[in-house]
Amino acid sequence: MAKVGGEIKKDITFNRYEDGLKNMLRVLKAKADLIKNGGGDEAIKKLHQRGKLHARERIAKLIDKDSHFLEIGLFTAYGMYEEYGGAPSSGTIFGIGKIHNRDVVIVANDATVKAGAWFPITCKKNLRAQEISIENRLPIVYLVDSAGVFLPLQSEIFPDKEHFGRIFRNNAVMSSMGIPQIAAIMGPCVAGGAYLPIMSDEAMIVDKTGSVFLAGPFLVKAAIGEDADIEELGGASMHCEVSGVTDYKMPNDEVCLESIRNLVSKFGANPKAGFDRIAPKPSAFPANEIYGILPDDRTKPYDTKQMLARIVDDGEFDEYKADYGKTIVTAYARIDGWAVGIVANQRAVTKTKKGEMQVGGVIYSDSADKSTRFILNCNQKNIPLVFFQDVTGFMVGTRAEQGGIIKDGAKMVNAVANSTVPKITFITGNSYGAGNYAMCGKAYDPRFIFALPTAQIAVMGGKQASETLLSIKVQQMTAKGKEISKEDKDKMLKEISDRYNTELNPLYAAARLWIDDIVDPINMRQIISRCIEISANNSVVPKFNPGVIQV
């Protein structure tokens, strides 16, 4: 193992970078705190008055005391549905927590946000929860408290393949796979949403606050003219004593949550995936020095190895093909004791043996070829892969095209697509175009994908995109005989740039679940360790078949 990185010169540039990133994190934390409060203090107070706990309080009581809840999708729906008053965290909270030291996916409706109604993105978030449960063979607990589909947007959530019905289909598939599903009906559960808890393996219902029916009293009256109250139609006593739809009647939230814990405690143990782990060693340098390494301008170079030195155990790794394809770093290392394969864009300007300069963050043919071979090796050895994205794309131009950049890029994308070991991705900076794909973006099934506040995700950089869009618009207007002044061009460019830069923001990506969360860089080491631990619950690692890779 070789030492990587070294001491950092803490000069004015370091301090500027550090201050900039810390300020980003302060702003992010303020937004996160507001989102975690759901519909606000008054709405939470009303829940308490009805004898109910808030969704986050339920999760806190359900998981092991002093354990960490890895929340996924906190910023889901950020900036969306503003015409309806917004939907903090899409009205649903989910993540992975420990129950009697077992990893469990937990999904909880937040009744303070539109009575827990489902927006289109809420559906996508629930499907992501089920995806994590399936990929990692984790039990799943649903804490149901929802008024059902948000009707003004029903056409965007009801009929398509990845819409509401897919959740119930997944209930059935997960049951056949032997993945335990427990549902607790802790509030209303209406119409099609009633299938989720009842298609789970076991269903609890809280007396007087929980209810489940295909049609509520008003709809029943309208449909068949019958007068029926909620308890008679779908309350706890009726379903536990008459219909037999639910399995356990609970007096309150607290007892219900403790009962779930009791059920989970009796689950049998499953074999692990066998990823190698030894006693961890701390990183060689303080993790908070990453703040001063990552530039405040995404076009500026930096040495990626300095960042990695503050993540890997003891600042050591075995670099694969260190002198070849230098714009991507490939290395075997340990993170918190776990063996990992690292694929990271090198943002420093590098020089080939022939004396040619290569731009940092660009994937050249040699770096794509190297990465492909490394990914094959990690699959052969059952070593999880960690990708660190800061990529502007593949090299372009006559020389690159004649050198076969498309073929070499295709080889790398092929290897990433067919890789069967767990893949964990961090977008630390730029994530543009096909570079996003080659470095295991969301479309390539990473088990987990996170971004730093410094991330920018788009088909191309903001400056290039804005100028391209402006040129197209000016051509269209000129073709219609309109004269465009410099002032008009400047105004249009600003409008286009502002819109495009909003879409580059990692909050835009997080709102749409292109990433699982925006994280503090000093937590990357702990997050990687936790994600590998979660991934190890799935002992079924399919045989790796890379498909046709032209060499």
Side-chain angles (χ1 to χ4, degrees):
M1 298 285 275
K3 289 284 185 182
V4 59
E7 298 289 340
I8 292 288
K9 183 181 179 181
K10 296 182 179 178
D11 55 13
I12 190 168
T13 300
F14 179 96
N15 293 334
R16 189 177 76 247
Y17 291 173
E18 181 181 44
D19 288 346
L21 186 43
K22 283 184 175 180
N23 188 56
M24 288 182 185
L25 288 165
R26 281 192 290 269
V27 171
L28 195 69
K29 184 180 183 304
K31 294 179 187 297
D33 289 344
L34 190 62
I35 290 169
K36 287 178 180 179
N37 208 33
D41 292 335
E42 192 60 34
I44 294 172
K45 183 180 176 181
K46 288 179 181 178
L47 275 187
H48 292 165
Q49 289 170 347
R50 291 157 54 197
K52 298 169 67 173
L53 297 172
H54 182 247
R56 292 190 179 276
E57 294 171 327
R58 288 169 175 167
I59 292 171
K61 287 182 177 291
L62 182 60
I63 63 175
D64 294 346
K65 189 177 181 182
D66 299 325
S67 67
H68 174 67
F69 180 65
L70 180 62
E71 184 168 356
I72 304 295
L74 171 64
F75 294 100
T76 308
Y78 179 84
M80 299 170 67
Y81 312 120
E82 295 298 328
E83 65 271 38
Y84 302 106
S89 211
S90 79
T92 296
I93 301 156
F94 103 82
I96 302 97
K98 295 276 190 184
I99 300 178
H100 286 287
N101 207 35
R102 291 169 168 84
D103 288 320
V104 178
V105 175
I106 301 167
V107 185
N109 300 121
D110 185 349
T112 68
V113 179
K114 300 291 189 295
W118 289 57
F119 288 79
I121 198 69
T122 315
C123 185
K124 185 176 181 179
K125 188 171 182 177
N126 277 263
L127 289 170
R128 177 67 178 134
Q130 291 180 321
E131 179 182 47
I132 288 175
S133 175
I134 291 169
E135 285 183 334
N136 301 290
R137 294 300 193 276
L138 297 182
I140 188 165
V141 172
Y142 306 100
L143 304 180
V144 184
D145 193 347
S146 172
V149 168
F150 187 66
L151 288 177
L153 297 173
Q154 65 84 28
S155 65
E156 299 176 37
I157 190 174
F158 170 65
D160 209 350
K161 180 179 178 179
E162 299 299 327
H163 284 179
F164 205 45
R166 190 74 174 184
I167 292 167
F168 317 136
R169 174 264 186 196
N170 286 351
N171 287 140
V173 170
M174 292 162 72
S175 183
S176 74
M177 293 172 68
I179 297 173
Q181 299 174 83
I182 297 174
I185 302 165
M186 310 179 83
C189 184
V190 185
Y195 287 107
L196 185 147
I198 308 311
M199 291 189 72
S200 298
D201 302 307
E202 294 182 274
M204 302 176 176
I205 185 167
V206 178
D207 195 21
K208 299 297 185 289
T209 56
S211 60
V212 55
F213 32 63
L214 294 181
F218 294 112
L219 184 54
V220 167
K221 177 68 174 176
I224 63 173
E226 180 185 354
D227 290 311
D229 65 28
I230 288 177
E231 290 300 315
E232 179 185 18
L233 195 62
S237 295
M238 191 282 285
H239 278 309
C240 287
E241 299 170 19
V242 180
S243 73
V245 165
T246 51
D247 306 309
Y248 308 91
K249 183 167 74 170
M250 298 291 145
N252 54 49
D253 282 9
E254 287 84 354
V255 173
C256 181
L257 296 166
E258 188 57 38
S259 297
I260 295 172
R261 288 182 54 81
N262 289 339
L263 288 175
V264 173
S265 73
K266 298 172 179 66
F267 289 173
N270 293 319
K272 301 291 184 180
F275 306 131
D276 187 68
R277 192 182 195 188
I278 62 174
K281 294 180 181 178
S283 54
F285 306 97
N288 61 9
E289 289 184 349
I290 297 175
Y291 294 150
I293 293 171
L294 298 176
D296 54 3
D297 181 343
R298 302 309 317 136
T299 65
K300 292 181 180 177
Y302 64 93
D303 186 356
T304 300
K305 292 181 183 179
Q306 291 286 20
M307 179 186 74
L308 296 177
R310 285 144 183 86
I311 298 172
V312 301
D313 287 13
D314 204 27
E316 295 181 335
F317 62 41
D318 295 312
E319 188 169 1
Y320 176 77
K321 290 184 179 288
D323 296 321
Y324 178 74
K326 291 184 178 181
T327 62
I328 292 183
V329 177
T330 50
Y332 302 105
R334 291 195 181 272
I335 295 178
D336 198 33
W338 295 102
V340 299
I342 291 172
V343 182
N345 298 112
Q346 173 57 285
R347 282 302 312 277
V349 176
T350 58
K351 183 185 290 187
T352 68
K353 288 293 184 182
K354 296 178 182 179
E356 298 165 340
M357 303 306 292
Q358 292 187 330
V359 180
V362 176
I363 302 176
Y364 291 78
S365 283
D366 53 0
S367 49
D369 175 69
K370 175 176 79 170
S371 301
T372 301
R373 294 170 183 268
F374 181 73
I375 291 165
L376 301 184
N377 289 349
C378 288
N379 275 270
Q380 183 188 55
K381 299 168 185 175
N382 197 28
I383 299 175
L385 285 158
V386 184
F387 291 81
F388 293 92
Q389 282 197 19
D390 195 344
V391 56
T392 54
F394 285 90
M395 189 59 190
V396 296
T398 305
R399 185 171 182 177
E401 298 291 359
Q402 292 176 355
I405 186 66
I406 294 176
K407 181 184 72 173
D408 291 320
K411 289 192 299 185
M412 184 176 176
V413 170
N414 192 323
V416 173
N418 288 299
S419 176
T420 56
V421 295
K423 297 170 290 192
I424 302 160
T425 300
F426 288 85
I427 302 173
T428 61
N430 303 316
S431 179
Y432 297 154
N436 172 282
Y437 303 156
M439 292 297 294
C440 199
K442 186 64 182 289
Y444 288 79
D445 297 323
R447 291 287 180 95
F448 299 93
I449 179 167
F450 304 96
L452 303 191
T454 47
Q456 293 184 341
I457 307 164
V459 71
M460 65 176 73
K463 185 176 185 296
Q464 301 94 313
S466 298
E467 290 177 355
T468 300
L469 290 168
L470 176 64
S471 297
I472 294 170
K473 191 170 183 178
V474 168
Q475 285 176 5
Q476 291 172 340
M477 295 174 74
T478 303
K480 293 178 181 179
K482 295 182 180 179
E483 292 187 12
I484 313 298
S485 67
K486 184 181 183 303
E487 291 75 14
D488 289 337
K489 284 184 181 180
D490 290 343
K491 183 180 178 182
M492 286 190 291
L493 180 61
K494 184 180 185 308
E495 290 172 353
I496 292 169
S497 297
D498 288 347
R499 188 185 77 245
Y500 200 87
N501 287 332
T502 297
E503 295 174 0
L504 282 173
N505 193 304
L507 277 169
Y508 190 89
R512 289 153 182 80
L513 283 171
W514 301 346
I515 55 176
D516 289 325
D517 197 9
I518 306 172
V519 300
D520 188 328
I522 67 171
N523 294 329
M524 286 194 289
R525 176 179 161 87
Q526 290 73 26
I527 291 170
I528 293 166
S529 177
R530 185 74 180 99
C531 288
I532 296 175
E533 180 189 17
I534 291 166
S535 299
N537 285 285
N538 185 359
S539 63
V540 182
V541 180
K543 184 178 180 181
F544 177 60
N545 184 347
V548 178
I549 294 183
Q550 295 177 311
V551 295

